[in-house]
C-alpha cells in the first residue's frame, strides 16, 4: 500500500499552531516552498466506476474485515448527501458531501466532531493530522465526479491558519493500490491520488497568488476528507 503521511503536531479539533514533532513524506504544495515538483502520472487504463450503487453502502468484492479507513468510508457513504447552498447543489459535479465540525461552504447539517466514531480519531492519529475544527467529506462515486478549478473561501478560514489537508481513501479495498484520481494545480503541479495520499497546501497563500486546484474526473470510487481550521 502506498501512503503519503502529513506532518503536523497532533491536537485535533483545535486551532492552535505548534511545530511538527517529526519529518515525514508529504505532498506539501504550499507556494512558499520552491521549486514545486511536477508530479504527473499516467492515468489508469482499467476503467472508471460509473454506477450509483455505492450510495449508502460500501462497495467491495473483498472479504477483508473493516479496518479504520474502511469504517470511515462506510460511515461517510451511509450519511453523505448532495451539498446544498441556496440554489447551488453538488449534484452538478456528481459529488455527495458530509460536513463534520464547523460548517464549510455547504449548508447541510453538520455532525459535531465529538460525535464522530473512534475510527475517525484513529486515522487522524495514523496520518498525524492536527489543528482543525472542520472536516468536509466528499464522495467521488462516478467517473464524472469532480471539482471545478477554484480557490478555497479564505473568508471562512482562521486568518492565522490557512492550512488545508486532504486525505484520500479508496472505497473498495481492491482499489487501494490504484490511482483513484488526480489533483491539478494551476501552476502545473499534478498529484496522483491513491489510498492514503495526503495533500497539504496553504489556502491563504494560494488565494493571494490565484493558484487554483481542481479534480477533473474520477478513475475509481474515492472518499476524501478535507481538514481545515475555520473561524468559529
Amino acid at each position: 500500500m502506498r501512503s503519503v503521511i502529513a506532518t503536523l503536531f497532533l491536537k485535533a479539533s483545535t486551532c492552535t499552531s505548534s511545530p511538527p514533532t517529526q519529518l515525514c513524506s508529504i505532498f506539501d504544495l504550499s507556494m512558499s516552498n520552491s521549486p514545486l515538483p511536477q508530479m504527473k502520472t499516467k492515468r489508469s487504463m482499467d476503467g472508471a466506476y460509473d454506477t450509483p450503487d455505492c450510495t449508502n453502502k460500501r462497495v467491495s468484492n473483498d472479504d477483508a474485515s473493516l479496518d479504520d479507513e474502511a469504517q470511515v468510508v462506510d460511515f461517510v457513504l451511509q450519511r453523505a448527501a448532495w451539498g446544498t447552498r441556496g440554489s447551488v447543489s453538488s449534484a452538478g459535479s456528481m459529488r455527495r458531501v458530509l460536513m463534520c465540525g464547523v460548517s464549510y461552504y455547504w449548508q447541510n447539517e453538520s455532525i459535531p466532531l465529538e460525535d464522530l466514531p473512534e475510527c475517525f480519531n484513529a486515522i487522524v492519529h495514523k496520518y498525524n493530522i492536527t489543528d482543525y475544527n472542520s472536516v468536509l467529506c466528499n464522495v467521488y462515486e462516478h467517473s464524472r465526479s469532480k471539482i471545478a478549478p477554484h480557490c478555497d473561501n479564505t473568508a471562512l478560514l482562521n486568518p492565522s491558519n490557512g492550512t488545508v489537508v486532504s486525505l484520500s481513501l479508496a472505497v473498495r479495498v481492491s482499489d487501494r493500490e490504484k490511482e483513484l484520481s488526480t489533483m491539478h494545480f494551476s501552476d502545473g503541479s499534478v498529484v496522483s491520488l491513491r489510498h492514503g495520499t495526503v495533500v497539504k497546501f496553504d489556502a491563504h497563500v494560494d488565494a493571494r497568488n490565484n493558484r487554483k486546484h481542481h479534480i477533473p474526473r474520477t478513475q475509481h470510487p474515492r472518499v476524501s476528507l478535507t481538514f481545515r481550521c475555520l473561524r468559529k
Side-chain angles (χ1 to χ4, degrees), residues 4 32 68 73 75 101 105 118 121 132 151 158 188 194 196 206:
V4 181
S32 57
D68 291 321
V73 168
F75 183 87
Y105 189 77
E118 181 57 33
N121 292 329
Y132 67 92
C151 288
N158 185 312
R194 298 173 180 268
D206 277 12

Side-chain angles (χ1 to χ4, degrees), residues 50-64:
D50 196 25
T51 58
D53 63 349
C54 76
T55 302
N56 296 330
K57 67 185 182 70
R58 183 166 180 258
V59 176
S60 177
N61 296 322
D62 309 281
D63 295 326

Side-chain angles (χ1 to χ4, degrees), residues 30-32 151-164 201-211 213 229-231:
S30 302
M31 292 193 70
S32 57
C151 288
D152 279 32
N153 187 344
T154 55
L156 301 177
L157 294 175
N158 185 312
S160 61
N161 185 355
T163 299
V164 177
F201 59 91
D202 189 318
H204 289 311
V205 176
D206 277 12
R208 287 195 295 270
N209 291 278
N210 196 33
R211 186 178 72 156
H213 59 278
C229 186
L230 303 184
R231 297 174 185 266

Side-chain angles (χ1 to χ4, degrees), residues 62-75:
D62 309 281
D63 295 326
S65 60
L66 297 185
D67 57 15
D68 291 321
E69 282 99 337
Q71 289 181 53
V72 169
V73 168
D74 264 351
F75 183 87

Side-chain angles (χ1 to χ4, degrees), residues 81-97 105-108 138 146:
W82 299 125
T84 58
R85 182 180 176 86
S87 61
V88 178
S89 171
S90 66
S93 56
M94 299 297 291
R95 182 168 42 86
R96 294 187 296 134
V97 304
Y105 189 77
W106 300 111
Q107 295 173 328
N108 299 42
N138 282 287
K146 62 183 181 180

